């Protein structure tokens, strides 16, 4: 799709069970009492832009702007030049999506709570997609220190930014080129191939599928996507949220069990909100367990090395 290569180097392979034997870097356990996310008011977080409450009146999920944003809120699209260089001001929105329970990570959540997280993603997406400075909305989740999480309390992040990343642009171009040549969506083609062949499937229900991609960049990488052609995540229905939550939560739970609570990142890829149509793109979630470190080869080439075949990883995840 993107023209990128990966290396599947099974010669250095471990058995699937061996991936669970890693030593997690100790994540500092912040006592609940001092946690910024357990007590946002007491720790001077910014005001909520969204809050969901339980029937009992306690909050179950809340979204507030990041106190230390990577992109600053402003409407001014400032560009500047310096000799051969070109730059622009880092404007946009940077929000935190936080579930209430300090210890309840997605691997152990029920699907209703995961559907509520998807609902919050959609709610904030719709609110921000029309802003003048926003052309793409990145939604991602870091779990574990190796994956960049500095706070243990489960949370996702949203960054609404003025540019489309080269990675997403590569997928958009790949999908467009594939459509022109084949009159079919490349993601739909992949999904139906995987569903028919079964060998890389991790879990599925009627509307969503989780599988280890043929060109996995990391051992035990998993993608979750709607089976029907859907370019725009923000149009997800309530029923689809539950169906997606079921498959997505299972995928995370299986990775958690198979790899002994590894660090991982996941992120959502969907059509940009830059005012153009993207009828041939297909939204999906990519889950990347931190099973390897980028070293000289990966940094110099951009080619990642995975040490297990996606078929073997999927078979192991299916059974767990
Ligand atoms: Zn907490
Ligand atoms: Zn499609
Ligand atoms: Zn993608």
């Amino acid at each position: 799709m993107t023209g990128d290569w990966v290396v599947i180097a099974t010669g250095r392979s471990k058995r699937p069970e061996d991936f669970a034997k890693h030593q997690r870097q100790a994540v500092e356990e912040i006592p609940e009492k001092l946690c910024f996310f357990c007590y946002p008011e007491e720790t001077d977080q910014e005001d909520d832009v969204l809050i969901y409450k339980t029937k009992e009146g306690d909050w179950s999920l809340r979204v507030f702007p990041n106190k230390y944003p990577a992109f600053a809120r402003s409407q001014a699209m400032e560009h500047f030049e310096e000799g051969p260089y070109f730059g622009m001001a880092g404007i946009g929105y940077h929000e935190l999506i936080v579930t209430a329970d300090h210890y309840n990570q997605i691997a152990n959540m029920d699907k209703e709570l995961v559907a509520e997280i998807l609902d919050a993603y959609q709610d904030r997406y719709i609110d921000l997609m029309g802003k003048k400075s926003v052309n793409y909305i990145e939604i991602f989740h870091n779990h574990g220190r190796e994956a960049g999480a500095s706070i243990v309390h489960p949370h996702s992040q949203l960054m609404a930014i003025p540019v489309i990343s080269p990675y997403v642009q590569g997928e958009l171009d790949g999908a467009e080129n594939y459509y022109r040549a084949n009159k079919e969506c490349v993601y739909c083609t992949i999904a139906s191939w995987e569903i028919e062949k079964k060998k890389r499937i991790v879990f599925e229900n009627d509307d969503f599928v989780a599988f280890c991609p043929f060109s996995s960049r990391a051992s035990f990488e998993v993608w979750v996507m709607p089976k029907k052609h859907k370019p725009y995540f923000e149009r997800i229905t309530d029923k689809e949220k539950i169906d997606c939550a079921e498959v997505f939560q299972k995928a995370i739970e299986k990775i958690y069990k198979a790899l002994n609570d590894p660090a991982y990142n996941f992120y959502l890829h969907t059509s940009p909100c830059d005012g153009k149509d993207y009828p041939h793109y297909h939204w999906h979630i990519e889950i990347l367990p931190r099973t390897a470190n980028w070293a000289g080869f990966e940094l110099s080439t951009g080619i990642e090395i995975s040490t297990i075949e996606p078929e073997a990883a999927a078979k192991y995840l299916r059974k767990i």
Side-chain angles (χ1 to χ4, degrees):
M1 199 175 312
T2 57
D4 293 332
W5 287 96
V6 300
V7 179
I8 312 286
T10 54
R12 7 154 92 198
S13 171
K14 312 181 227 179
R15 290 169 306 142
E17 310 75 73
D18 295 338
F19 280 88
K21 290 184 191 143
H22 67 102
Q23 289 283 316
R24 269 287 292 281
Q25 282 175 36
V27 180
E28 250 175 89
E29 270 301 327
I30 304 175
E32 226 180 290
K33 279 221 157 47
L34 302 171
C35 174
F36 299 136
F37 293 167
C38 283
Y39 303 100
E41 287 97 352
E42 288 86 336
T43 55
D44 277 340
Q45 300 303 313
E46 299 218 23
D47 291 343
D48 301 310
V49 290
L50 182 70
I51 186 160
Y52 291 159
K53 294 199 168 165
T54 62
K55 282 189 210 90
E56 293 74 39
D58 303 323
W59 67 277
S60 59
L61 179 150
R62 63 206 296 171
V63 183
F64 42 84
N66 194 326
K67 236 168 129 178
Y68 308 104
F71 292 87
R73 273 168 285 172
S74 159
Q75 288 298 318
M77 292 272 261
E78 282 169 50
H79 297 85
F80 60 91
E81 280 172 43
E82 185 201 307
Y85 306 116
F86 171 81
M88 61 192 288
I91 59 169
Y93 298 81
H94 187 173
E95 299 181 347
L96 302 166
I97 297 148
V98 180
T99 42
D101 191 327
H102 186 87
Y103 299 101
N104 192 20
Q105 56 163 302
I106 292 172
N108 304 315
M109 283 180 190
D110 57 39
K111 67 179 177 185
E112 285 71 22
L113 183 51
V114 177
E116 189 169 275
I117 295 172
L118 296 174
D119 192 68
Y121 291 172
Q122 180 191 32
D123 187 289
R124 295 308 305 144
Y125 193 105
I126 290 170
D127 194 36
L128 294 167
M129 66 185 282
K131 305 273 187 197
K132 214 170 76 192
S133 58
V134 173
N135 287 312
Y136 195 82
I137 299 179
E138 306 277 354
I139 298 172
F140 58 93
H141 184 107
N142 305 332
H143 173 79
R145 176 154 296 178
E146 299 92 325
S150 49
I151 292 180
V152 280
H153 190 124
H155 64 285
S156 304
Q157 303 186 50
L158 177 153
M159 290 194 198
I161 60 175
V163 296
I164 299 169
S165 72
Y167 184 23
V168 170
Q169 192 61 55
E171 289 192 350
L172 293 168
D173 293 345
E176 192 60 38
N177 293 338
Y178 188 90
Y179 185 84
R180 262 196 231 121
N182 301 286
K183 294 281 164 278
E184 248 184 298
C185 161
V186 64
Y187 294 90
C188 287
T189 306
I190 289 172
S192 51
W193 177 267
E194 297 301 338
I195 290 161
E196 188 194 320
K197 298 293 168 192
K198 298 270 180 269
K199 58 183 177 177
R200 281 178 290 267
I201 296 287
V202 173
F203 188 77
E204 63 179 310
N205 60 20
D206 287 349
D207 289 315
F208 283 82
V209 59
F211 62 96
C212 294
F214 174 78
S215 53
S216 289
R217 288 175 297 149
S219 302
F220 293 92
E221 177 175 349
V222 175
W223 285 18
V224 175
M225 61 166 82
K227 289 183 175 178
K228 293 201 191 84
H229 184 63
K230 304 276 177 185
Y232 304 99
F233 165 76
E234 70 272 21
R235 297 183 192 170
I236 190 171
T237 64
D238 287 345
K239 180 181 180 302
E240 286 168 344
K241 276 173 230 166
I242 288 282
D243 293 339
C244 179
E246 181 184 32
V247 172
F248 173 61
Q249 191 281 333
K250 268 279 180 291
I252 296 275
E253 185 185 333
K254 282 169 177 285
I255 289 169
Y256 171 89
K257 286 181 179 158
L259 306 183
N260 184 25
D261 190 14
Y264 63 79
N265 306 95
F266 71 76
Y267 45 83
L268 179 71
H269 275 164
T270 183
S271 295
C273 49
D274 60 349
K276 298 190 190 127
D277 290 332
Y278 293 92
H280 308 130
Y281 197 48
H282 188 130
W283 75 261
H284 55 276
I285 300 169
E286 302 183 14
I287 309 165
L288 282 157
R290 289 298 183 117
T291 42
N293 282 327
W294 274 42
F297 178 75
E298 292 85 344
L299 290 167
S300 70
T301 59
I303 298 174
E304 292 172 60
I305 301 175
S306 161
T307 52
I308 185 170
E309 295 115 324
E311 299 76 26
K315 189 176 176 191
Y316 193 66
L317 292 174
R318 264 200 309 277
K319 283 195 293 199
I320 213 148

